[in-house]
């Protein structure tokens, strides 16, 4: 089955710790994206990558970092600099940036206390 | 900057009744429009999309949407809802954000609750 996997489904961390969220796709898509979802706020773009070894900041990149060393993987690190990290994080991919449909993973709910 | 406004944050409707979820966007150029659905604690699934051509777009699960360029709207409709349609619905606009990049801007979502 082709698709996007995110792990873990639920993640708990103490304040001040960095945490890395996993996103893997086997759709052979070039572009990948990370969104943050808060209740009543819709989805906001954190980072995106159009090709391997390249990525750009989205609307709310502060306190986050990413890497794109492999086509199928786009991990997101939530650093201790992110002031309000508790949220639902969604990864997505598309055939290429600018094509029309993004496919979403099941999400990771991060809780920081 | 692009913006997407979903006019209702919550819409309750009785089972088998029709429903319309409203979406307006701001843009002075051509855009591509989408509706996604999200069930609790899950990712988003594409319902339908408008790229060009006919302004009436049909999607999955019996949903359809009409693109109205003059009113910059893309309202989602279903003639008869089912309990299983209870979910959150997001309208989104794909637009060119410069330097060869495209960005998908989402509305804040509308929670549809179908009442038995």
């Amino acid at each position: 089955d082709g698709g996007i996997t995110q792990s873990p489904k639920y993640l708990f961390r103490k304040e001040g710790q960095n945490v890395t969220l996993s996103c893997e796709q086997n759709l052979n898509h070039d572009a990948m994206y990370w969104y943050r979802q808060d209740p009543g706020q819709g989805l906001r773009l954190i980072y995106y990558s159009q090709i391997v070894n390249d990525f750009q900041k989205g609307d709310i990149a502060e306190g986050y970092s990413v890497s794109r060393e492999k086509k199928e993987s786009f991990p997101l690190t939530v650093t201790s600099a992110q002031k309000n990290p508790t949220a639902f994080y969604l990864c997505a991919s598309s055939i290429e940036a600018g094509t029309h449909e993004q496919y979403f993973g099941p999400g990771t709910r991060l809780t920081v206390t | 900057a692009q913006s997407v406004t979903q006019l209702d944050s919550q819409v309750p409707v009785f089972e088998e009744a029709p429903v319309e979820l409203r979406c307006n966007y701001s843009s002075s150029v051509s855009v591509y429009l989408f509706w996604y659905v999200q069930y609790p604690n899950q990712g988003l699934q594409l319902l339908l999309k408008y790229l060009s051509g006919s302004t009436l777009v049909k999607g999955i699960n019996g949903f359809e949407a009409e693109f109205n360029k003059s009113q910059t709207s893309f309202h989602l409709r279903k003639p008869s809802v089912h309990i299983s349609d209870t979910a959150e619905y997001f309208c989104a606009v794909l637009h060119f954000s410069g330097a060869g990049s495209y960005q998908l801007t989402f509305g804040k979502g509308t929670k549809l609750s179908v009442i038995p």
Side-chain angles (χ1 to χ4, degrees):
Chain A
D1 270 344
I4 301 175
T5 57
Q6 292 185 244
S7 61
K9 180 74 172 173
Y10 299 94
L11 192 53
F12 298 87
R13 281 292 182 271
K14 294 289 188 185
E15 195 174 324
Q17 294 179 334
N18 291 356
V19 59
T20 297
L21 281 60
S22 167
C23 177
E24 304 277 332
Q25 54 98 359
N26 60 5
L27 300 168
N28 200 33
H29 286 174
D30 282 327
M32 296 186 74
Y33 312 82
W34 274 106
Y35 293 91
R36 171 183 171 134
Q37 184 178 20
D38 297 282
Q41 294 297 315
L43 278 72
R44 293 180 289 170
L45 183 65
I46 305 173
Y47 268 98
Y48 63 100
S49 168
Q50 299 184 71
I51 56 171
V52 175
N53 293 322
D54 181 66
F55 49 83
Q56 287 83 39
K57 293 181 179 179
D59 298 323
I60 56 164
E62 185 175 349
Y64 299 97
S65 66
V66 293
S67 63
R68 186 86 187 276
E69 296 175 1
K70 298 185 295 184
K71 186 175 184 177
E72 59 270 23
S73 178
F74 191 40
L76 173 74
T77 296
V78 184
T79 75
S80 56
Q82 167 50 232
K83 297 189 187 312
N84 187 18
T86 294
F88 190 50
Y89 290 88
L90 287 159
C91 179
S93 71
S94 63
I95 294 172
E96 60 184 22
T99 56
H100 316 303
E101 182 172 343
Q102 291 184 15
Y103 294 81
F104 284 81
T108 291
R109 186 166 298 279
L110 173 64
T111 302
V112 177
T113 57
Chain B
Q2 296 290 328
S3 68
V4 179
T5 303
Q6 292 186 241
L7 297 158
D8 304 295
S9 60
Q10 297 188 47
V11 173
V13 62
F14 285 103
E15 193 174 14
E16 297 183 5
V19 70
E20 178 180 80
L21 306 183
R22 298 179 291 170
C23 173
N24 287 89
Y25 64 94
S26 67
S27 176
S28 59
V29 298
S30 297
V31 295
Y32 300 126
L33 298 156
F34 304 81
W35 276 99
Y36 283 87
V37 60
Q38 184 181 35
Y39 299 100
N41 292 311
Q42 294 186 25
L44 275 67
Q45 179 183 3
L46 182 70
L47 272 179
L48 49 79
K49 57 187 177 184
Y50 172 79
L51 307 180
S52 64
S54 173
T55 57
L56 184 62
V57 180
K58 293 190 183 298
I60 62 171
N61 301 341
F63 284 93
E64 63 182 31
E66 185 154 20
F67 169 60
N68 187 320
K69 187 174 182 179
S70 62
Q71 297 186 5
T72 60
S73 68
F74 190 54
H75 301 332
L76 181 70
R77 301 188 184 100
K78 186 170 183 178
S80 176
V81 296
H82 189 266
I83 293 289
S84 60
D85 293 322
T86 295
E88 189 159 19
Y89 293 79
F90 292 93
C91 181
V93 172
L94 183 69
H95 55 94
F96 182 66
S97 58
S101 299
Y102 291 81
Q103 185 163 327
L104 197 58
T105 299
F106 286 85
K108 294 187 176 182
T110 298
K111 289 186 178 178
L112 174 64
S113 299
V114 179
I115 305 162

